[in-house]
């Protein structure tokens, strides 16, 4: 019989941020190597073992465990069941990681500035990238802009501050820009395409988006990714291909 392409891993912890958002950690199998920004494929440990989904890895490549950040889609084939996860449960983890939303895709030496633009759970790969010392050495400034609908959805806010303090000491300057789209009182509440087009994002970051200086990663909602990509291209920034160009993207659906 062919060897299964996954291992069985134990759920170590579950953290619920809101009724629709939670994080969980899994045991990390020996030999499971990944690059910050990559995603794992996770399956439910059912007799059929047939539902697998892509999940960006939140953890540092140096961590002993694997952390993930999940939405709950009410009728979703995977998350309607995954939401009931408890420590001690098992999940299936494909043996190899996937994906190219990694720093290696940008030709080095890097321009000065890295912009990480996330909607919702699209934050996950950026948390991993920020927990890799290399990024803090390679760039002079790092902007993390994290867009959610309501303030309670701003998961990982204190952790972001801690990560920047731990990994960023003596490294790049860090600017964290939370965006709360359903709160007109929030300092930033427009969607990314509008914030790029009207200069609001640059103003908040006190930094310009420039073809010669900026690497930009976009992750999350595909409509956001596409519209923001268009807004950036209208500003003269280009898609990253074969190492050259400014923009790299990952769509979650
Ligand atoms: C490369 C990659 C990485 C991913 N990483 C993550 C991750 O780190 N965390 C995560 O929660 N999901 C992630 N996803 C999405 C994930 O694979 C599943 O789609 C999600 O878990 C829902 O599965 P489901 O079967 O319940 O619903 P699905 O049938 O897969 O999706 C149903 C619908 O739910 C919505 N939806 C799906 N995922 C999300 C989401 N993350 N946020 C908001 N709405 C969504 C979309 O409208 C989608 O059409 C990733 C997807 C890809 C392709």
């Amino acid at each position: 019989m062919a060897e299964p392409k996954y291992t069985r891993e134990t759920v170590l912890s579950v953290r619920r941020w809101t009724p629709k958002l939670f994080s969980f950690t899994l045991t990390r199998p020996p030999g499971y190597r990944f690059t910050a920004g990559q995603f794992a494929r996770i399956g439910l440990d059912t007799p059929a073992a047939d539902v697998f989904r892509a999940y960006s890895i939140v953890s540092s490549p140096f961590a002993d465990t694997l952390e993930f950040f999940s939405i709950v889609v009410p009728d979703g084939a995977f998350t309607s069941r995954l939401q009931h996860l408890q420590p001690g449960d098992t999940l299936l983890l494909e043996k190899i990681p996937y994906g190219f939303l990694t720093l290696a895709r940008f030709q080095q030496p890097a321009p000065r500035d890295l912009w990480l633009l996330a909607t919702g759970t699209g934050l996950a790969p950026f948390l991993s990238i920020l927990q890799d010392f290399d990024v803090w050495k390679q760039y002079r400034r790092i902007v993390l802009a994290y867009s959610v609908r309501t303030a309670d959805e701003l998961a990982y806010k204190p952790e972001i501050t801690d990560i920047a303090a731990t990994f960023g000491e003596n490294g790049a300057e860090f600017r964290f820009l939370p965006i709360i789209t359903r709160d007109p009182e929030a300092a930033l509440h427009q969607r990314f395409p509008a914030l790029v087009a009207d200069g609001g994002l640059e103003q908040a970051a006190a930094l310009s988006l420039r073809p010669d200086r900026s690497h930009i990663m976009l992750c999350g909602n595909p409509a956001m990714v596409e519209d923001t990509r268009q807004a950036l291209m209208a500003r003269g920034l280009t898609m990253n291909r074969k190492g050259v160009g400014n923009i790299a993207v990952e769509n979650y659906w």
Side-chain angles (χ1 to χ4, degrees):
M1 216 167 80
E3 213 188 305
K5 57 180 185 175
Y6 51 77
T7 54
R8 270 195 173 71
E9 302 304 327
T10 305
V11 177
L12 298 171
S13 65
V14 180
R15 178 173 183 179
R16 299 187 195 276
W17 304 97
T18 72
K20 292 279 168 60
L21 289 173
F22 66 104
S23 296
F24 57 96
T25 55
L26 291 183
T27 46
R28 178 175 177 170
Y32 187 88
R33 307 244 178 282
F34 68 95
T35 304
Q38 285 194 301
F39 64 91
R41 284 183 55 82
I42 297 176
L44 296 169
D45 193 5
T46 59
D50 52 356
V51 190
F52 276 78
R53 287 288 183 272
Y55 269 87
S56 300
I57 304 168
V58 167
S59 318
S60 161
F62 310 108
D64 295 336
T65 59
L66 295 175
E67 180 165 348
F68 301 96
F69 177 30
S70 183
I71 186 85
V72 177
V73 179
D75 297 318
F78 192 74
T79 53
S80 62
R81 289 189 272 169
L82 190 75
Q83 66 173 316
H84 303 298
L85 209 60
Q86 299 287 348
D89 290 349
T90 52
L91 286 174
L92 310 180
L93 174 75
E94 280 198 15
K95 288 177 181 170
I96 52 165
Y98 300 86
F100 301 99
L101 193 70
T102 62
L103 290 186
R105 63 169 299 142
F106 289 120
Q107 198 175 56
Q108 302 302 335
R112 297 180 193 177
D113 307 325
L114 178 66
W115 298 73
L116 305 171
L117 312 187
T119 52
T121 53
L123 175 74
F126 301 150
L127 292 175
S128 184
I129 287 171
L130 291 171
Q131 293 179 85
D132 190 345
F133 289 104
D134 286 352
V135 72
W136 298 95
K137 283 189 238 140
Q138 283 174 21
Y139 293 92
R140 205 182 282 179
R141 283 169 293 238
I142 300 173
V143 179
L144 173 64
Y146 176 22
S147 177
V148 296
R149 289 172 306 176
T150 53
D152 63 334
E153 293 178 348
L154 273 181
Y156 289 101
K157 204 173 163 200
E159 286 79 2
I160 289 166
T161 308
D162 289 350
I163 289 169
T166 307
F167 288 83
E169 203 189 7
N170 306 322
E173 275 173 46
F174 183 62
R175 289 160 206 187
F176 176 48
L177 307 178
I179 301 164
I180 305 174
T181 56
R182 290 194 183 163
D183 180 0
E185 305 293 311
L188 289 175
H189 57 264
Q190 286 166 286
R191 292 173 194 282
F192 277 121
L195 285 170
V196 169
D198 72 4
L201 194 68
E202 291 162 286
Q203 199 181 4
L207 194 62
S208 303
L209 284 161
R210 289 179 38 165
D212 61 333
R213 286 204 191 162
S214 311
H215 280 161
I216 306 148
M217 290 181 162
L218 309 175
C219 186
N221 178 322
M224 170 296 267
V225 167
E226 176 55 20
D227 294 350
T228 310
R229 188 177 78 87
Q230 296 292 347
L232 290 165
M233 290 173 72
R235 296 281 313 273
L237 296 138
T238 58
M239 286 303 287
N240 180 266
R241 295 200 205 291
K242 296 188 179 162
V244 180
N246 309 101
I247 311 165
V249 305
E250 188 147 270
N251 290 310
Y252 270 6
W253 66 91

